[in-house]
């Protein structure tokens, strides 16, 4: 029996570690779901006026309502939509009369020409956003050909002569033909903790099965020696 003690201990200890990792992922899942619920509530809250000094710490996802005119120049940010394909987000300057901010108007197909913005005053309801889209693998923006690969607020604001504040449109008083708003939601925020937990629990089961198989093979080898 002594030769079985170490494999049994090793098998149970390994399974316990894997189950512990699965339990930790479930705790992380509950934590992440609480964060997502808070973000969802903040996104869908009643809109307010644009804060005088907007900051990422205090005003991330803040719903705002602004009124003014959209400048003609639009920067194109390359994106891809499921079941639609490649296209561009249109980022334009929005002039309220007293301030100029960046406006994410929405999505156009990659083959569509830049549409002219609505004329005259437009009311926009949207959310403040500070997107973090630039990775080490993200190409540099092609400013000359007006193809951006991330919504880099500082250089965009410099080109369009606005504050480095982005409002992502949810609804506009005037519809833009061919432009589909891409309002903020939580779909782009990863939450894979349940999958991770299932993986760890599955590995724990496999570990125990393999331990049992090893013990069985050892037992069968002993029987062969005694016959």
């Amino acid at each position: 029996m002594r030769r079985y003690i170490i494999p049994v201990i090793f098998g149970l200890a390994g399974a316990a570690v894997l189950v512990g990792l699965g339990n930790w992922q479930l705790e992380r899942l509950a934590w992440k779901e609480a964060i997502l619920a808070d973000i969802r509530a903040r996104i869908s809250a009643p809109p307010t006026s644009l804060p005088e000094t907007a900051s990422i710490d205090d005003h991330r996802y803040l719903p705002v309502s602004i009124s003014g005119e959209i400048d003609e120049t639009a920067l194109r940010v390359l994106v891809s939509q499921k079941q639609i394909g490649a296209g561009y987000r249109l980022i334009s300057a929005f002039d309220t009369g007293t301030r100029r901010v960046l406006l994410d108007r929405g999505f156009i197909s990659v083959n569509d020409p830049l549409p002219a913005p609505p004329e005259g005053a437009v009311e926009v309801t949207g959310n403040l956003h500070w997107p973090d889209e630039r990775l080490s693998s993200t190409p540099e923006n092609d400013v000359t050909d007006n193809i951006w690969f991330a919504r880099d607020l500082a250089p965009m604001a410099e080109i369009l002569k606005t504050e480095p504040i982005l409002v992502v449109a949810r609804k506009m008083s005037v519809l833009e033909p061919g432009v589909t708003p891409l309002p903020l939601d939580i779909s782009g925020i990863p939450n894979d903790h349940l999958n991770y937990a299932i993986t760890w629990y599955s590995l724990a089961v496999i570990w125990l099965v393999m331990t049992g198989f090893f013990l069985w093979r050892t037992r069968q080898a002993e029987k062969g020696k005694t016959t």
Side-chain angles (χ1 to χ4, degrees):
M1 292 295 295
R2 290 182 179 178
R3 70 182 61 190
Y4 296 112
I5 293 177
I6 292 179
V8 168
I9 293 175
F10 187 71
L12 292 177
V17 171
L18 293 170
V19 169
L21 290 171
N23 292 341
W24 177 68
Q25 287 296 336
L26 288 182
E27 293 173 2
R28 296 280 295 176
L29 175 64
W31 166 80
K32 192 60 169 287
E33 287 181 340
I35 290 178
L36 293 177
D38 177 66
I39 293 174
R40 188 186 297 111
R42 292 167 67 181
I43 290 175
S44 59
T48 184
S49 58
L50 191 67
E52 294 235 358
T53 305
S55 71
I56 186 173
D57 293 328
D58 298 327
H59 302 107
R60 185 190 288 270
Y61 310 119
L62 178 71
V64 295
S65 180
I66 54 178
S67 179
E69 296 186 357
I70 303 174
D71 280 9
E72 290 187 3
T73 303
L75 305 180
R76 303 183 304 175
V77 183
L78 187 65
V79 294
S80 180
Q81 291 288 93
K82 289 183 179 179
Q83 300 178 346
I84 297 177
Y88 297 106
R89 283 181 178 271
L90 299 184
I91 311 295
S92 296
F94 190 88
D95 193 336
T96 68
T98 57
R99 301 176 67 177
R100 286 172 62 87
V101 297
L102 297 168
L103 175 65
D104 186 328
R105 293 157 56 190
F107 175 88
I108 64 170
S109 174
V110 71
N111 296 317
D112 290 346
L114 278 174
E119 296 182 0
V122 179
E123 293 183 3
V124 177
T125 300
N127 298 83
L128 296 183
H129 192 37
W130 286 263
D132 184 14
E133 299 168 333
R134 181 160 291 282
L135 305 174
S136 59
S137 59
T138 304
E140 291 299 318
N141 301 315
D142 186 348
V143 178
T144 303
D145 288 335
N146 191 17
I147 300 177
W148 296 65
F149 297 96
R151 287 175 290 180
D152 297 323
L153 301 194
M156 285 182 165
E158 184 177 356
I159 289 175
L160 296 178
K161 296 180 173 53
T162 71
E163 299 177 50
I165 298 173
L166 176 67
V167 177
V168 180
R170 178 172 296 276
K171 182 175 63 175
M172 296 187 8
S173 60
V174 179
L175 295 179
E176 289 194 84
V179 181
T180 303
L182 294 178
L184 284 182
D185 58 30
I186 63 171
S187 61
I189 303 176
N191 183 18
D192 299 320
H193 295 294
L194 180 58
N195 292 334
Y196 295 153
I198 292 173
T199 299
W200 287 121
Y201 289 142
S202 299
L203 289 174
V205 172
I206 294 172
W207 189 277
L208 290 174
V209 170
M210 294 300 294
T211 300
F213 180 73
F214 174 80
L215 294 173
W216 177 81
R217 287 291 301 270
T218 301
R219 179 61 176 167
Q220 292 300 110
E222 288 182 349
K223 285 183 179 182
K225 290 180 180 180
T226 58
T227 58

